[in-house]
Each structure stands twice: as C-alpha cells, then as structure tokens.
Amino acid sequence: MRRCGARPGSRCIRRRSSSTHWLVFADQWDASSPWHDRRVRLAATYAVDRPAINQAETLGFSKITGSFIPTSFEFYWQPPIYPYDPAKARQLLAEAGYPKGFDAGDFWCDAGGTSYCEPVLNYLQAAGIRSRLRPLERAAFLKAYQEKKLKNLIYGLSGVSGNAATRLEAFTVSTGSYAYGGYPDIDGLFREQAAELDPKKREAILHRIQQLIHEKVMYLPIWQLALLQGSGPRIAESGFGLITDYPWSAPYEDVKLKS
C-alpha cells in the first residue's frame, strides 16, 4: 500500500468505503461472562489505540468515528469517541474484579482482516485481556457468525449499503441476522421507528438507539475503512470516488484514458 504511487506518473488515491469494522462482545448477555460487565467492555474500548492502528495499516486515512454505522448513512448519529487510555482500562478491569486481567477466549475474524485484528489483540493483551486469534475463511466465518456459533470476541465488519436502520436491524436488534442478543429498550425503539412516518421523528428515534448503543458499550468500533488505490500515468479519469462510499473504480464506462 505504501508504494501504490511509486511508479513515475502514478498517483496514490485514498477512498473511504461504507465498510465499518468493530469488535463484538458476543457474550455480553451471559451473566457468567466477564463481558456482561459494562466496565469490562469499556476497559477494552480504552485499551485499543485505534489512531495508531489506522496510521500503521491505512496510513491514517481510515476514519475513527466511534460508530459501526458509516458517517454518510441517513440517520447517522456521531457519538463521542473514547480515547486511548491504557491506565483507565486497567483501572476499570480492577474495579470489575479483574486486577490481573482475564482469559477472554477466542477472537474470531474473517481471515482477510487478520492484519487489522492482530494489533487490536495486542492492545487488549497489554491491558490484561488475553485472547487467541481464530481466523476463518470468509464464507465459513459469515456462516458461523450468522448461525451464532462464535463466542467471546468477534471482529465484525460490513460494507453493505443502506441507512442507519438497516445496519441496526442486521446487527443490533435482538432478531437480527448477526445479533447475539439484544436490549428491550433498543428493540422497542426500533419497532417504533419502523412505524414512524415523520422523517424528523424517525431520525430522533434512531439517534436515541445509537446513543443507547454508545452508553451500553455494546461494541468497540474500530474505524470506517479507507482503501488505498493506485492510478497509473495513462489514466485521465480513474473512476475512484464517483460513487459515494464505493472504494473501487466505477462505473467502468466512466473510466477514461489519456489520448
């Protein structure tokens, strides 16, 4: 990626996508799990230096948003972003009864995202949250994820288009395809917004759902991913950025070569 513009006359182009990445605390609804305690989930959030990972993996071009919903989606709400604070992370773990940390079990991910997961795992381990990375081929990962067979930690990601409601429906509402549990207040608000015809009132309800997700620390949002692409010296119009949140060159009929 660092050499995508190294060829004479070529350019390195960065484009953000609708692909957001986040850590799923799959066992937060299990009263016997450390992840059931909000302080533990918050500790994990403070433990990960997301800007540093962003700089190392995507040259700082991905966007740290504090949300698993893309910023361009309709009804998006911008949450406060928890900073990197390892001392605070260790303090919260001690308050939760884990002064020496704990074994967090398996950390599941799509094998294609292993390079993003490894630094997250390392930061968690430095704070005392010890886990083992378990990469799976993408089809196997998605199947196991959807069938609720994965436990402990899951590296969630989605680049599917839509709006805040469609992203919430799949991953947050208790009946969602990839939801491992849910909260009655969030489920109730989601049903309410689905029947609301006033756009402003619907937006307010969806914003409240996202506020509750932040307050409950349901996820550890990593970033909205940016891809680095190369455009060669013969290209007049690369096609990058012509479609919002689409990181590849398209539509192909609009790609132009220099005469």
Side-chain angles (χ1 to χ4, degrees):
M1 288 193 299
R2 295 177 187 273
R3 295 182 57 80
C4 65
R7 184 179 176 185
S10 65
R11 296 184 297 141
C12 186
I13 300 174
R14 59 181 176 88
R15 287 289 179 266
R16 291 199 183 107
S17 68
S18 59
S19 178
T20 53
H21 296 190
W22 65 97
L23 201 60
V24 180
F25 306 117
D27 295 340
Q28 65 186 277
W29 295 276
D30 180 354
S32 66
S33 169
W35 298 113
H36 186 68
D37 192 322
R38 178 186 180 274
R39 291 170 297 184
V40 175
R41 304 195 297 272
L42 187 56
T45 305
Y46 278 119
V48 178
D49 190 345
R50 289 166 286 182
I53 299 173
N54 182 15
Q55 189 63 45
E57 295 295 329
T58 64
L59 306 185
F61 291 132
S62 293
K63 187 174 180 63
I64 309 300
T65 69
S67 176
F68 76 113
I69 297 172
T71 58
S72 63
F73 275 18
E74 187 179 16
F75 309 124
Y76 170 81
W77 174 75
Q78 175 61 61
I81 299 174
Y82 291 112
Y84 172 55
D85 190 338
K88 181 70 172 178
R90 288 189 287 270
Q91 175 191 336
L92 285 164
L93 286 176
E95 291 174 2
Y98 304 101
K100 296 182 179 179
F102 65 95
D103 184 348
D106 294 327
F107 182 143
W108 300 96
C109 72
D110 173 348
T114 300
S115 64
Y116 305 144
C117 298
E118 287 176 337
V120 173
L121 182 148
N122 290 338
Y123 277 114
L124 292 175
Q125 183 149 322
I129 301 172
R130 300 175 293 276
S131 62
R132 297 168 294 278
L133 195 61
R134 299 294 192 218
L136 294 173
E137 186 274 329
R138 175 163 294 186
F141 171 75
L142 291 175
K143 187 174 188 294
Y145 190 0
Q146 190 171 30
E147 292 178 351
K148 316 296 191 294
K149 292 182 178 179
L150 306 180
K151 300 295 182 183
N152 306 311
L153 294 170
I154 305 169
Y155 193 85
L157 69 165
S158 176
V160 177
S161 298
N163 60 26
T166 58
R167 188 63 65 92
L168 291 167
E169 183 177 26
F171 294 98
T172 304
V173 180
S174 61
T175 55
S177 300
Y178 296 95
Y180 277 62
Y183 292 97
D185 49 356
I186 289 176
D187 286 355
L189 287 168
F190 189 82
R191 290 192 295 271
E192 184 180 340
Q193 68 82 31
E196 180 55 66
L197 299 180
D198 185 313
K200 291 295 183 183
K201 291 181 179 178
R202 187 183 182 211
E203 179 180 62
I205 297 169
L206 287 165
H207 282 185
R208 180 55 185 154
I209 292 174
Q210 292 170 77
Q211 289 166 7
L212 286 169
I213 290 170
H214 175 76
E215 291 167 10
K216 295 176 189 292
V217 197
M218 287 184 70
Y219 311 114
L220 195 174
I222 305 298
W223 56 26
Q224 184 171 336
L225 183 66
L227 297 183
L228 306 183
Q229 310 280 14
S231 178
R234 296 183 57 214
I235 304 297
E237 172 56 73
S238 67
F240 292 120
L242 296 181
I243 299 175
T244 302
D245 280 349
Y246 188 78
W248 297 286
S249 180
Y252 288 129
E253 56 268 25
D254 290 345
V255 176
K256 297 180 177 64
L257 297 177
K258 295 177 180 178
S259 58

